[in-house]
Amino acid sequence: MLSLLSLLGLISIAMALAPPLTVQDQFPTAISDDVKVPVVLGVMSRCPDAILCESVFNRVLQRVSDKIDISLSFIAKPNASEPLYGVTCMHGQEECAGNVQELCAAKYHTTSEWWSFVQCQNFQGRDNIGTPETALNCANAAGIDWENGKAGQCAGKDGLGTEGIQLLQQSVNDSIAAEIQKSCTIIINGRQVCIRDGIWYNCEGGHSSADFIRQINEEYDRLNRAD
Ligand SMILES: *[C@@H]1O[C@H](CO)[C@@H](O)[C@H](O)[C@H]1NC(C)=O
Ligand SMILES: *[C@@H]1O[C@H](CO)[C@@H](O)[C@H](O)[C@H]1NC(C)=O
């Protein structure tokens, strides 16, 4: 028969074994502590394939923007004979200017702001990307103060701001280091998962927005798995 004394003993052992209920248990780790999935699009601002990729990723961002860190990595050829940019952009100097504007917007603004800026540029038609008018109009549409803010200063009036040119050269170097050669190349968590260059290819996991969302969710779960 269980004596009162041994019963009390069992209760105290049970209490010692059970971990105390902490705030942590009631509220799982805050979502802001999570690890985002790096997503890189290797692009050129006036390239039709890049514009297509960015429109696919517009749908991706609508679904998983809180799970990713998205950035653009620009493709051009380093060229010491280029007097303005030091790189040759496949679609001309205006493309270099567009690249600079997009990099500067991304450096100084939130993803939702700079992404809106890029989408707006794309909607103006390929031949208008990189012009001072398009940059100004699209900055306004994206809620960016281009004339008085840091992004506009970085890009300069004609896409020739010193800081912007530096960012472009750095981005071109980064693309070369990451072996990004085709616009558009899609990289999810460091892995090239798909290329769009006239046609889609090397897209093992598919090339629709739903396919990219699925791959991002898988990587996110892997990165944030509680062990
Ligand atoms: C380098 O730039 C010069 C000057 O714009 C140009 O004539 C030349 O074709 C460029 N070289 C390459 C490989 O693009
Ligand atoms: C880019 O790479 C070239 C060649 O390696 C180098 O001279 C230049 O300093 C680099 N530029 C930046 C901004 O990293």
Side-chain angles (χ1 to χ4, degrees):
M1 202 173 119
L2 219 53
S3 73
L4 182 61
L5 209 62
S6 59
L7 187 62
L8 283 175
L10 285 174
I11 289 170
S12 60
I13 288 168
M15 284 174 68
L17 289 177
L21 193 63
T22 63
V23 172
Q24 197 72 48
D25 297 321
Q26 297 167 48
F27 302 99
T29 313
I31 200 82
S32 57
D33 291 342
D34 64 351
V35 180
K36 311 283 188 201
V37 180
V39 174
V40 178
L41 305 180
V43 293
M44 307 186 277
S45 65
R46 284 194 170 198
C47 171
D49 296 303
I51 293 170
L52 179 66
C53 259
E54 286 159 356
S55 77
V56 170
F57 268 78
N58 201 42
R59 295 194 290 281
V60 172
L61 272 165
Q62 282 165 10
R63 291 278 302 281
V64 290
S65 65
D66 55 339
K67 291 184 176 177
I68 65 179
D69 253 332
I70 192 163
S71 59
L72 302 179
S73 195
F74 285 94
I75 299 164
K77 267 191 254 148
N79 181 349
S81 309
E82 287 285 359
L84 300 178
Y85 290 101
V87 302
T88 299
C89 295
M90 185 188 279
H91 305 91
Q93 265 170 28
E94 298 85 354
E95 173 166 85
C96 284
N99 297 352
V100 162
Q101 292 159 356
E102 293 177 6
L103 284 165
C104 289
K107 176 165 181 183
Y108 289 108
H109 291 275
T110 63
T111 301
S112 104
E113 286 167 340
W114 74 257
W115 185 261
S116 301
F117 178 78
V118 170
Q119 289 291 313
C120 171
Q121 295 239 51
N122 293 351
F123 274 120
Q124 307 313 304
R126 229 158 67 71
D127 293 340
N128 295 312
I129 293 172
T131 67
E133 300 75 30
T134 299
L136 187 57
N137 291 339
C138 286
N140 283 337
I144 295 172
D145 181 354
W146 198 251
E147 286 174 306
N148 305 305
K150 285 185 175 167
Q153 195 180 9
C154 164
K157 257 203 158 52
D158 299 309
L160 286 166
T162 310
E163 185 187 4
I165 291 171
Q166 181 76 15
L167 289 178
L168 176 56
Q169 291 176 353
Q170 182 68 60
S171 184
V172 168
N173 284 4
D174 291 347
S175 295
I176 292 166
E179 297 180 352
I180 300 171
Q181 283 154 3
K182 300 293 183 186
S183 170
C184 164
T185 299
I186 297 164
I187 299 167
I188 296 177
N189 200 18
R191 207 161 55 87
Q192 292 197 13
V193 297
C194 190
I195 292 173
R196 167 77 199 193
D197 186 21
I199 55 163
W200 294 103
Y201 63 95
N202 291 358
C203 307
E204 215 175 283
H207 57 73
S208 70
S209 54
D211 293 322
F212 297 127
I213 291 164
R214 188 191 68 251
Q215 293 175 78
I216 286 165
N217 279 326
E218 285 166 7
E219 287 303 316
Y220 182 85
D221 290 345
R222 212 193 313 278
L223 288 171
N224 292 284
R225 186 174 293 151
D227 283 311

